[in-house]
Amino acid sequence: MAALGGLNRSRSRARSHSSVATLPSPQTPEHTNQQRHSTAFDATSNQYTSSDLSSSLPSSPSILATLSSSPRDRASSICEPPPSSMTVEFDGGTHVIIRPGRVVRGLVILDLTEKTHVTRIRIRFRGEEYAAVRVEEASGDGKGDWIHQTITTFFESEYTLVGTEANPYSQCNWDEMDAGHYEYPFALKFPNVNYPPSMEEPPGFGIRYIWTAQIDGPGLQSGLRSREYITPYRPIIVSTEPKEWTYRTTLIRDKKPVAEVQAKLVKQCYCPDEPFTMHLTTTTLISDGKITALTFKFRKHHEGKMLLQQGTAFKEYVRNVLQGTVTIPANSTHISEEIGFDIPTRLVSPSFVSRHTRVHYDVLFQVHVEHGHLFKTDHVSEFSIPLSIANLPFDQLHRVADLTAIQFYQKSKECPEFFDPDLDAPPPTPSAAWMDALQATFTSPPQNEEPPSYFSLPAVPPPLIPPENERRERTVFMSKPARGAFQGDLGDAVIIRGLYDESW
């Protein structure tokens, strides 16, 4: 215990000298940057959980028992000490956002109300993508709904705060910790890799980046564990160089042309807060046709898909981020108008594609055309202009260090790495140093000396082995009947039978 107490004092940081803020600690996962009511799909239990509801109710079994017991039982249970707790705090409080190359620091807070045997205290960080769909399938009892779910873990990093690392050839001792308050700092460096951004749409699909802390009990027993802390992740995606382009289409109604449309845009890719401008020209192709109204919607498309035995399950959710109306002259057969608005920052994330999800944007236009003399008829025709969304303007390309060295996660083996919180950055890995020395040896000019024999080498070089923190992706598949299971708002998926293609 003396060793554990000494480690706690030597590696703990004073709370008065840090900018950490305590997060709420309900038992269900909760986003660190959301203070409002939110409903999230729990990929581990296949349920939707409400963060506000779970945080407002007592999470301790003893407190729940106190509320539902008799007055005599409540009097005796109030005297009981509160249960031990384990929480995670981040520098920056609830506004922490993870980005490529960023260092995240924080504290693991442990409050023990009684003496506890501890083998080690660990903190873990993982990124995962989940997909869940409900489909109708035939079985021996007839047709019924089934829930199919897959969870892909991008990476999983772990760091031992107290105790010894587990090894494959020996068991580990444990120590006894006194009741009290303990704080253990941690630091993690996110690699210069673009992973998919955090999201939870369409229903049943999502990408999350999760922190947990836990105690390993004596003799391989389970110990105290914190709730899951979900922090948002934002990749760095640069906008393309401005390039003018023209969109042309012919609006069709009942297999007959209604109007000719031409739109000239100055850019193909935009960032939030940037102005969107275009010149729209529309001409009716009906002799007595007149354009009476013109509206537009800036839309965000969330698409999810999952491969099943029958084929590919597909779901889509479209969010109208912004909408407006274009003022046009009355009874116009030809309009030529400038249309503009600012790309919103809220609800707008970069366009991206992952294994199960895709996010893309467009501007939907609705053209109202009226034709006829005595009996007038109003037709509404639609067309959409695709757009790409980034989060860094092109002119800021050289202002971000190592931006052009960012890798795509499916092409990279780098994993987030915990390191000593007393350091500013993690030390270089031995394998990387060895590869640099080996390359320097091969590229150096030869010397006028005889080649050394095997036994004349001063030291044996370290073996070429993959780094310990190399990323290893894994996928878990689960299926269960929907009858009797809490499904949440999964909705029905469209099954494209016979299609088994994971590419978008």
Side-chain angles (χ1 to χ4, degrees), residues 327-341:
T327 303
I328 59 176
N331 301 325
S332 299
T333 59
H334 174 82
I335 62 173
S336 180
E337 298 288 340
E338 291 287 339
I339 301 175
F341 58 88

Side-chain angles (χ1 to χ4, degrees), residues 153-157 189-195 405-417 429 431 465-474:
T153 302
F154 299 141
F155 58 81
E156 189 169 15
S157 300
K189 173 69 176 295
F190 205 91
N192 202 28
V193 177
N194 265 342
Y195 282 88
I406 291 181
Q407 304 179 57
F408 188 56
Y409 78 102
Q410 293 182 348
K411 303 294 184 180
S412 173
K413 290 294 184 181
E414 292 189 61
C415 185
E417 180 183 3
T429 58
S431 59
I465 58 176
E468 295 181 358
N469 61 338
E470 179 177 325
R471 187 175 75 90
R472 293 175 176 86
E473 190 172 296
R474 70 175 187 270

Side-chain angles (χ1 to χ4, degrees), residues 198-234:
S198 303
M199 52 83 68
E200 289 187 355
E201 290 175 337
F205 293 79
I207 298 171
R208 307 188 302 180
Y209 298 87
I210 307 169
W211 304 75
T212 55
Q214 69 179 65
I215 291 178
D216 292 343
L220 302 181
Q221 295 183 11
S222 300
L224 184 65
R225 179 175 296 188
S226 73
R227 47 153 283 216
E228 292 184 339
Y229 294 83
I230 303 176
T231 52
Y233 170 79
R234 299 289 183 265

